[in-house]
Amino acid sequence: MTQELTSPTPTTARRAPEPGRAAGWWRDAVIYQVYVRSFADSDGDGIGDLRGARERLPYLAELGVDAVWLTPFYASPQADGGYDVADYRTVDPLFGELRDAEELIRAAHGLGLRVIVDIVPNHTSDRHPWFQDPELARQRYVFRPGKGAHGELPPNDWESVFGGPAWTRTDRGDWYLHLFAPEQPDLDWDNPDVHEEFAAILRFWLDLGVDGFRVDVAHGMVKAAGLPDIGHGEQAKLIGNQVLPFFDQDGVHAIHRTWRRLLDSYSAVPGQGTPPAERIGVAEAWAPSPERLALYVRPDELHQAFNFQFLTADWQAGALRTVIDASLAATASVGAPTTWVLSNHDVVRHRTRLGGGLPRARAATLLMLALPGSAYLYQGEELGLPEVTDLPDEVRQDPAFFRGRPAAGGAPDGASDGASGAGGQDGFRDGCRVPIPWTGDEPSYGFGPGGSWLPQPADWGGLSVAAQHGDPSSTLEFYRAALGLRRQLPGLGDGELSWRPAPEGVLTFARPGVLCTVNTLGRPVELPLPGRPLLASAPVTVRDGAAVLPGDSCVWWAL
Ligand code: NOJ
């Protein structure tokens, strides 16, 4: 008998909301990134906002994720999509007001979803009151005299991640450091005021009930003493491949240790019994190796660190196995789980980046969700959205576009090429930030009652939530099925992985209760039947004791 299977009937089983949060909830959590300005717009100004996000939370609960991460919604001139913060305790009017943040947090908790917010400690906006006051600015940011007879040359040879020198000269003649745009001056973390202020900001949001922070540029706050030259013409190639005087300095870990103590002080809620609430930190750190990355998740530091080595790996069995093994070994050595991710707002969507279209993207996702640890999803990947690669220059907003350097948020150049660049639009980041489609027919596909800050492709109606909802062959229902099964299979999130023999180009590994096969080749491969198929990223054929894995596919089998 021949049987073809893609997705079983999607399960709607959800854990009951857990008001007293379980210890270690984050170790195997699936966390959904909401890029606020592109998720849902409630007021029709074409820009997503907090109310829009709150109204769509039931969709995320039904999808089956455990938490949401909201990108910055704080007061900001938006020189870098809100990663240029002018006031860390105020919601930008574009996104609503503080009450909207509180209501969102409350509504999420009511649905059993936790909320992670972004914190941007490496730099502020140049409109931040500290930078606006020349005296305070000199104390709290990195100012240096220039070189040359008249101080007309930058203090050193560092380059901005977005291109051009990392220094800008002020009217007063001195220079300030900005590893990103000139509108994002770097803070001086040698100044205790900076430490105090950020501790207070963290407390402010913890008191409002957030469950954790995604720490932007967590590898950048501390610079090498003396700010030494790099002396390499192509700095972008070094970022993420080695420790630099401005990235991955050992000194950053002392900050993360302080923050862990602060987070832990909120984690035990007196009188609420066990398990205690756990508030977490996740590092956005582009470290040169899994071992260096693991330092960020030592027991007294942050809880998670995005695994960008996995994100930038080629779709090739050997490369994937190598990065999975190295990541698991490195994080195990410090007792932490690994945090997998395939897409975010800084890189080309993985449907496009991996070069194999939707089948490969679905296979990669199912592989990721079978690995031990936590996983982050980026809004729209559950719809199978591709990167938008034909945005006209006049609508682009990525500051890297204007400074001429494709960037992946401090990513190594390898990642800029491999993650931000390949298949994208010149390597810039607007193509993954186009507002997502909710319905097929309304203006802006139901993103909001008005337009959309970036134009949406003409053929996105068929990819909308409404078009896919309830269709068992859709990518949306495939994600729901995968997340539902992950919940039902105890131990799948945070447990052992053991490799099994597999033909060239195929990966086979066992997890508690599940065997996972991944065919990275572009053609079908036949295997002895590994078990009962549970879920497949593409139709798998089972006959006479054999299974035919389609090209670019991943299948979960019951053990
Ligand atoms: C990483 C963020 O993800 C990216 O969007 C931003 O441009 C840089 N950090 C600078 O804050």
Side-chain angles (χ1 to χ4, degrees):
M1 197 187 94
T2 299
Q3 186 196 349
E4 228 185 42
L5 176 133
T6 326
S7 316
T9 312
T11 170
T12 49
R14 277 191 54 73
R15 282 183 202 138
E18 299 157 14
R21 303 142 200 182
W25 65 266
W26 46 274
R27 294 183 69 89
D28 61 355
V30 177
I31 301 179
Y32 183 101
Q33 180 188 354
V34 170
Y35 189 69
V36 178
R37 60 166 44 232
S38 302
F39 187 63
D41 172 23
S42 72
D43 59 11
D45 65 356
I47 297 179
D49 47 43
L50 292 177
R51 211 175 83 196
R54 171 170 57 78
E55 288 167 357
R56 298 293 189 179
L57 288 174
Y59 164 78
L60 298 181
E62 201 200 343
L63 181 62
V65 299
D66 301 295
V68 294
W69 150 33
L70 303 164
T71 50
F73 48 78
Y74 315 112
S76 160
Q78 305 292 320
D80 181 22
Y83 283 96
D84 49 318
V85 182
D87 181 347
Y88 291 80
R89 295 175 182 81
T90 303
V91 172
D92 195 284
L94 274 180
F95 304 121
E97 44 188 80
L98 199 56
R99 210 180 39 210
D100 295 308
E102 290 179 275
E103 283 175 5
L104 187 153
I105 295 165
R106 204 173 313 121
H109 287 168
L111 289 164
L113 296 168
R114 297 178 174 89
V115 180
I116 313 279
V117 294
D118 230 301
I119 186 83
V120 188
N122 178 69
H123 45 266
T124 70
S125 161
D126 61 349
R127 302 277 118 199
H128 191 286
W130 285 4
F131 197 75
Q132 291 288 301
D133 177 323
E135 207 32 56
L136 281 183
R138 245 188 230 102
Q139 294 162 20
R140 295 175 182 172
Y141 295 83
V142 184
F143 277 86
R144 291 289 183 279
K147 286 187 176 158
H150 309 285
E152 73 282 9
L153 298 172
N156 69 20
D157 67 357
W158 297 359
E159 288 171 7
S160 150
V161 170
F162 294 156
W167 297 90
T168 290
R169 197 173 193 190
T170 68
D171 300 343
R172 304 181 296 271
D174 52 1
W175 296 73
Y176 68 89
L177 177 69
H178 51 86
L179 293 181
F180 295 89
E183 296 87 352
Q184 294 166 293
D186 277 50
L187 285 160
D188 181 356
W189 277 84
D190 285 338
N191 185 323
D193 296 346
V194 175
H195 290 252
E196 254 172 54
E197 173 64 358
F198 272 88
I201 294 165
L202 295 182
R203 286 183 187 286
F204 176 85
W205 288 101
L206 289 166
D207 288 338
L208 240 67
V210 303
D211 299 278
F213 300 93
R214 176 265 191 192
V215 184
D216 188 64
V217 199
H219 57 317
M221 287 107 97
V222 171
K223 279 76 182 177
L227 312 185
D229 276 343
I230 290 177
H232 187 290
E234 290 183 286
Q235 279 179 35
K237 291 208 184 313
L238 304 180
I239 296 178
N241 292 322
Q242 65 181 62
V243 174
L244 290 170
F246 52 81
F247 277 155
D248 202 29
Q249 287 289 308
D250 288 336
V252 295
H253 296 287
I255 300 170
H256 299 316
R257 279 193 282 273
T258 312
W259 287 14
R260 177 59 178 258
R261 284 196 294 276
L262 198 160
L263 291 167
D264 283 350
S265 75
Y266 277 79
S267 293
V269 183
Q272 285 197 3
T274 53
E278 268 184 298
R279 318 286 184 109
I280 69 160
V282 51
E284 189 237 4
W286 293 85
S289 65
E291 294 73 29
R292 293 281 312 172
L293 187 66
L295 301 179
Y296 291 79
V297 290
R298 285 177 285 192
D300 59 349
E301 296 202 30
L302 300 177
H303 300 70
Q304 302 181 323
F306 294 113
N307 185 340
F308 293 128
Q309 252 116 11
F310 175 69
L311 184 149
T312 52
D314 288 340
W315 182 250
Q316 198 266 331
L320 290 167
R321 183 170 167 164
T322 301
V323 73
I324 291 168
D325 278 340
S327 309
L328 291 175
T331 48
S333 74
V334 296
T338 306
T339 301
W340 311 98
V341 60
L342 284 166
S343 283
N344 67 32
H345 65 293
D346 289 330
V347 300
V348 173
R349 284 185 175 278
H350 71 275
R351 168 171 172 173
T352 304
R353 189 186 70 242
L354 294 175
L358 192 53
R360 192 174 287 179
R362 287 169 55 131
T365 299
L366 203 54
L367 160 64
M368 173 171 80
L369 293 175
L371 295 172
S374 168
Y376 278 71
L377 306 179
Y378 177 49
Q379 64 179 40
E381 69 170 83
E382 78 279 18
L383 305 175
L385 295 188
E387 183 82 359
V388 178
T389 54
D390 58 356
L391 290 169
D393 285 355
E394 57 276 18
V395 305
R396 300 217 241 181
Q397 302 207 11
D398 181 356
F401 173 71
F402 301 100
R403 292 179 67 83
R405 163 87 55 86
D413 192 51
S416 292
D417 290 338
S420 195
Q425 191 174 10
D426 315 331
F428 299 106
R429 301 174 298 172
D430 293 310
C432 62
R433 299 176 176 181
V434 174
I436 65 170
W438 292 92
T439 57
D441 39 14
E442 296 166 74
S444 73
Y445 301 117
F447 165 63
S452 142
W453 67 280
L454 283 173
Q456 298 158 298
D459 58 356
W460 270 19
L463 291 172
S464 67
V465 173
Q468 298 195 42
H469 191 262
D471 171 0
S473 68
S474 71
T475 299
L476 175 58
E477 296 301 346
F478 164 70
Y479 267 71
R480 284 217 310 134
L483 295 172
L485 266 177
R486 205 177 131 100
R487 282 194 167 162
Q488 280 169 16
L489 296 164
L492 187 58
D494 194 9
E496 291 300 304
L497 176 150
S498 54
W499 296 102
R500 297 286 168 83
E504 188 74 29
V506 175
L507 294 173
T508 302
F509 57 89
R511 302 294 328 283
V514 177
L515 190 90
C516 182
T517 54
V518 185
N519 179 8
T520 63
L521 306 175
R523 56 179 162 74
V525 171
E526 188 167 312
L527 291 181
L529 188 62
R532 178 171 57 85
L534 285 171
L535 181 63
S537 65
V540 58
T541 309
V542 171
R543 64 163 179 258
D544 307 330
V548 181
L549 310 178
D552 285 331
S553 70
C554 177
V555 186
W556 291 1
W557 308 85
L559 267 183

